[in-house]
Amino acid sequence: MAKLSSINKNERRKKLVKQYAGKYARLREIADDESRDDGERLIARLKMAEIPRNANPTRVRNRCMVTGRPRGVYRKFKLGRVMLRQLATRGMIPGVVKSSW
């Protein structure tokens, strides 16, 4: 089990990303648009720098929904490799069967 503070910190980041998503997307679009003049693009980048760091989507960490484990997480199931194996063995994930031969 991961530290509860790490899990909570990640949840706060997700909330901030959601809050600033529209503003971040608009500024990103302006900053990446090469048809606009350099001054306008620079202003957009400076405004992006004013947005809180944790509002950047790249700072959100994929974590296991059960244990909070940060590594070895399958995006499709949102589960860590260990929990995925345990739940698949018990038959608790629909459509997933652990192979045996």
Side-chain angles (χ1 to χ4, degrees), residues 25-36:
R26 281 193 304 275
L27 291 172
R28 186 76 180 172
E29 187 178 315
I30 293 169
D32 290 343
D33 189 7
E34 293 183 8
S35 64
R36 296 179 186 256

Side-chain angles (χ1 to χ4, degrees), residues 2 5 11 16 22 36 38 40 50 63 68 75 78 81 83 86 100-101:
S5 62
E11 292 302 318
L16 266 178
R36 296 179 186 256
D38 290 339
E40 192 175 355
E50 292 173 2
R63 289 185 173 270
R75 289 181 182 179
K78 296 183 182 175
R81 59 183 176 79
M83 287 308 300
Q86 285 178 4
S100 60
W101 59 91

Side-chain angles (χ1 to χ4, degrees), residues 14-88:
K14 285 181 187 178
K15 196 182 299 184
L16 266 178
V17 167
K18 199 174 200 178
Q19 180 181 346
Y20 285 96
K23 184 176 182 179
Y24 191 83
R26 281 193 304 275
L27 291 172
R28 186 76 180 172
E29 187 178 315
I30 293 169
D32 290 343
D33 189 7
E34 293 183 8
S35 64
R36 296 179 186 256
D37 63 324
D38 290 339
E40 192 175 355
R41 292 173 66 195
L42 178 66
I43 291 170
R45 286 199 180 98
L46 291 174
K47 286 183 182 176
M48 281 175 67
E50 292 173 2
I51 294 175
R53 281 188 182 185
N54 286 334
N56 192 329
T58 58
R59 291 179 71 98
V60 175
R61 182 79 189 203
N62 289 334
R63 289 185 173 270
C64 175
M65 296 297 287
V66 178
T67 61
R69 181 181 168 85
R71 296 178 183 218
V73 177
Y74 287 83
R75 289 181 182 179
K76 184 175 182 178
F77 303 106
K78 296 183 182 175
L79 292 172
R81 59 183 176 79
V82 178
M83 287 308 300
L84 181 68
R85 182 184 168 100
Q86 285 178 4
L87 295 175

